[in-house]
Amino acid sequence: MRQPRILMCPPDYYGIEYEINPWMSRSRGSDRPTAATQWEGLVAILRELGAVVELMTARQGLPDLVFTANAGLMFRDRFYSSSFRHEERARESPVFDEWFAAHGFSVHHMPEGTFHEGAGDALFCGDALFAGYRIRSDVYAHQWLAREIGVRVLPLELIDPYYYHLDTCFCPVAPDTAIWFPPAFDAYGQKVIRTHVPKLIACEPDEAKRFGCNAVAVGKTVVTNSGCPRLAESLEKLGYATRNTPLDEFLKAGGSAKCLTLRLDGEEAANWAK
Ligand code: ARG
């Protein structure tokens, strides 16, 4: 079995300093010591599950750098660097590029004038790349990427501003299995997912709000935020082990377990990573 390798960034400068999705409120803010404890809790679980957690250095003025899922998209030794929709996050890209170049990956960029937010909006499940668009990433960027890496892309329109990245409402856990929150997609997107993913686990609205779909699969274990007991039960019925840990401070920025991680060796559900 391959050893999972996950990139994370400590929340040393994490905070709610701007509002670029409906979860974020500057006036409510977040508590940095609590965020640090919660982030450590996630790291500890991932390490217990056998993952190697690579750590980046946090940077002042880049509060969302903790969400490494948005750094870019991984494909073998290639790193396709994100092209962020918002200026506030575009400043993270040089920092991510530097890390990947220094760690032996080839760094690639999206075509000028298109937006793509990395593994936040593009997830492999089996042979296909499921691609969320409209709120953050563009369809054109997904199609360009699919051509580059030679895989089939299945574009899915995201229709609810609370589920603004694909990884907030869709989570492949194996090449034939995914967790999802159907109301985040239009009828066409729902059909595409139903047609291409044989085993689907629907997250209920209250647990979707707890970011149940923003899960991390490590082998046959699925890690989520706390407060998603029905999702855990459904996963366990399908033979998965589950772990949960409180990540509420990160929900305040619109992120949870999955957003805080980037699988460097390819996610469990990606056929190319086998
Ligand atoms: N505040 C960040 C943003 O709006 C949160 C990103 C969460 N990441 C994710 N992959 N869903 O961009």
Side-chain angles (χ1 to χ4, degrees):
M1 202 189 92
R2 64 196 167 109
Q3 183 163 39
R5 208 177 149 208
I6 296 174
L7 178 66
M8 294 181 70
C9 175
D12 302 351
Y13 300 104
Y14 171 69
I16 313 298
E17 292 174 14
Y18 43 78
E19 296 170 4
I20 56 170
N21 69 54
W23 303 92
M24 301 176 91
S25 155
R26 260 179 302 179
S27 58
R28 181 176 55 164
S30 77
D31 180 66
R32 199 172 287 158
T34 310
T37 308
Q38 294 184 346
W39 182 87
E40 299 284 353
L42 178 62
V43 174
I45 291 176
L46 297 174
R47 288 194 172 136
E48 269 173 49
L49 296 174
V52 172
V53 178
E54 307 259 6
L55 295 180
M56 286 179 60
T57 308
R59 303 281 175 104
Q60 188 152 22
L62 298 177
D64 278 337
L65 197 69
V66 286
F67 298 114
T68 52
N70 299 123
L73 184 83
M74 298 306 307
F75 182 72
R76 305 191 194 284
D77 62 345
R78 294 185 230 165
F79 169 68
Y80 287 92
S81 183
S82 286
S83 169
F84 285 96
R85 170 91 51 186
H86 299 97
E87 224 300 292
E88 292 89 337
R89 294 211 64 189
R91 296 194 291 261
E92 297 171 26
S93 287
V95 180
F96 285 127
D97 290 358
E98 192 186 299
W99 191 91
F100 282 88
H103 288 78
F105 295 93
S106 64
V107 177
H108 303 259
H109 291 104
M110 301 288 162
E112 213 35 45
T114 59
F115 298 112
H116 193 281
E117 299 202 353
D121 267 337
L123 298 163
F124 291 97
C125 189
D127 289 322
L129 182 63
F130 289 76
Y133 72 91
R134 202 184 83 176
I135 302 180
R136 294 293 180 88
S137 303
D138 296 332
V139 161
Y140 176 75
H142 287 305
Q143 284 163 341
W144 177 87
L145 194 57
R147 265 198 312 276
E148 281 284 300
I149 63 179
V151 302
R152 177 166 186 213
V153 66
L154 298 170
L156 303 165
E157 182 170 346
L158 301 176
I159 61 166
D160 181 337
Y162 280 91
Y163 298 96
Y164 59 97
H165 273 144
L166 183 64
D167 71 358
T168 62
C169 50
F170 181 70
C171 178
V173 293
D176 65 348
T177 311
I179 303 165
W180 71 320
F181 181 52
F185 303 93
D186 64 5
Y188 175 79
Q190 293 185 11
K191 193 169 158 196
V192 169
I193 293 177
R194 285 201 176 94
T195 311
H196 291 89
V197 187
K199 290 186 213 160
L200 284 169
I201 303 158
C203 200
E204 292 181 34
D206 56 328
E207 297 190 1
K209 264 193 229 151
R210 298 283 306 152
F211 274 69
C213 299
N214 201 249
V216 184
V218 178
K220 286 281 273 178
T221 304
V222 179
V223 187
T224 63
N225 181 29
S226 59
C228 305
R230 276 165 299 154
L231 173 62
E233 209 177 291
S234 312
L235 284 161
E236 283 157 17
K237 273 194 202 131
L238 287 179
Y240 290 88
T242 60
R243 296 289 299 266
N244 69 82
T245 189
L247 292 166
D248 296 84
E249 287 309 311
F250 299 100
L251 264 57
K252 294 175 175 173
S256 185
K258 177 64 199 301
C259 308
L260 292 167
T261 64
L262 181 67
R263 187 74 185 254
L264 297 168
D265 59 324
E267 277 141 10
E268 298 294 337
N271 274 349
W272 66 262
K274 295 288 161 257

